């Protein structure tokens, strides 16, 4: 039973990856180029998420003070 679930999950993830390759036109790149592109994408997304997590609270507090919602 667990093997079937894992096989189905793997098939679904493979399908999502294939769709990602088609939408971003990465299927025309060589494997090493695809690896470089994906590494850069993951790095940029990670930095953006980290920056948003660290600084979002400061921006929200500034907006709340500006509109005098909090003192």
């Amino acid at each position: 039973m667990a093997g079937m679930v894992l096989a189905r999950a793997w098939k679904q993830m493979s399908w999502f990856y294939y769709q990602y390759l088609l939408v971003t036109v990465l299927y025309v790149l060589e494997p090493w180029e695809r690896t470089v592109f994906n590494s850069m994408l993951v790095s940029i997304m990670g930095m953006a998420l980290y920056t948003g997590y660290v600084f979002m609270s400061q921006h929200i507090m500034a907006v709340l003070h500006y509109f005098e919602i909090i003192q």
Side-chain angles (χ1 to χ4, degrees), residues 5 8-9 15 23-24 26-27 34 37-39 42-44 48 51 54 56 64 69:
V5 171
R8 187 172 180 191
W15 185 80
V23 168
T24 57
L26 288 176
Y27 64 91
R34 200 176 307 150
F37 178 83
N38 287 333
S39 299
V42 167
S43 297
I44 291 170
T51 302
V54 169
M56 191 57 69
L64 293 176
I69 295 174

Side-chain angles (χ1 to χ4, degrees), residues 8-22:
R8 187 172 180 191
W10 182 258
K11 186 176 179 181
Q12 188 72 17
M13 289 303 296
S14 296
W15 185 80
F16 282 136
Y17 182 69
Y18 181 67
Q19 291 296 312
Y20 163 72
L21 291 177
L22 289 176

Side-chain angles (χ1 to χ4, degrees), residues 11 13 17 27 45-47 58 60 70:
K11 186 176 179 181
M13 289 303 296
Y17 182 69
Y27 64 91
M45 291 299 295
M47 288 186 286
Q58 295 174 4
I60 290 172
I70 61 173

